[in-house]
Amino acid sequence: MKDNIPDGLRELLEQAAGAGQAPWRTLLRPGDWLLLLCCAALVATSFPLLWRGGVADRAIVKRDGQLVTELALNVARKYEVTGAIGTTVIEVQPGRARVLSDPGPRQYCVQQGWLTRANAVAICAPNHVTLQLAGRGGAHAGYDTINY
Amino acid sequence: MPAMTPSTIELPVTADDYRIARYAAAAIALSVAETALPSPLPGIKPGLANIIVLVVLARYGWRDAAWVSLLRVVAGSLVIGQFLAPGFFLALAGALCSLAVLAAAQHLPPRFFGPVSASVLAAFAHIGGQLLLARAWLVPHDGVFYLLPLFATAALLFGTINGLVAARLLAKPSTEPPAP
């Protein structure tokens, strides 16, 4: 097979493959290796750091737009809010929160299930109660349920 | 009809000008050729023109490298019809940042740091400048920084490759044609 290639073409191919040149690794000096390793480590750590932004760390419960309480999302607990037509029960577990029960007729906020992302909102309109998650960087970081 | 008066303005052209023009032409050709490559994300591209900037920096110093880099940004954007479009300003911000970093990087001890280091540092400065301008002007939201890991990965990869190519070009003796 090798003999079938004309001499001119073979020479060209060998040149393209780097014949007669210093191998690639000799082009790197000690400091280059060090810098490349440092940069690779920095880039690798930037992935989790920057993609953690959407994680919620507290739940904000409001009634009629007024803040009722803020619950940290690190311990499991239940919280009851008395609204316009009854009692809404909020359940918190590490990293997530949901509306466990609500007196509203259509149960939209209950059926939404667990909220996990920062700025996700469950609105129990009949009872005038809202549950919102908040993360790092305040209420304006990232998207909320409505403009997701 | 009166005879044309010969122009009294004469622009002296030095050997420096020819050299810079020649390298800038190579850089412009590379950056125009690069626009034909598909890109997974706007802003991620190999930056092949930076190979020329690195070679000029090592051979002729920072002033020539700055000329080549900025001529590449202006003329390259004219060729592809992006002059004064957002992409032009992003490229300009990236080029200015990477030139600033290269000005510092050329003082690294040459025994330990070669063109690959300069290339990687310049690549990071390039995305840094672009992201900061994009954050300040085009996307006034911290969301642009979520893309930083992707841009940084691309900068590391292409910075290394461009640096290796520049190092190999620099390992050969310069074949400089005489100025006309």
Side-chain angles (χ1 to χ4, degrees), chain A residues 60-70 79-88 90 102 122-132:
Chain A
I60 296 166
V61 181
K62 288 182 182 172
R63 202 214 134 168
D64 293 318
Q66 303 292 313
L67 183 71
V68 176
T69 186
E70 278 196 23
Y79 187 85
E80 296 187 355
V81 204
T82 309
I85 57 169
T87 303
T88 299
I90 310 278
D102 180 70
I123 300 167
C124 304
N127 208 20
H128 300 194
V129 172
T130 64
L131 165 68
Q132 180 174 14

Side-chain angles (χ1 to χ4, degrees), chain A residues 88-91 97-102 107 109-115 122-124 129-131:
Chain A
T88 299
V89 182
I90 310 278
E91 183 179 6
R98 68 171 169 178
V99 179
L100 186 63
S101 70
D102 180 70
Q107 301 285 302
C109 58
V110 179
Q111 283 170 24
Q112 233 177 309
W114 291 104
L115 308 181
I123 300 167
C124 304
V129 172
T130 64
L131 165 68

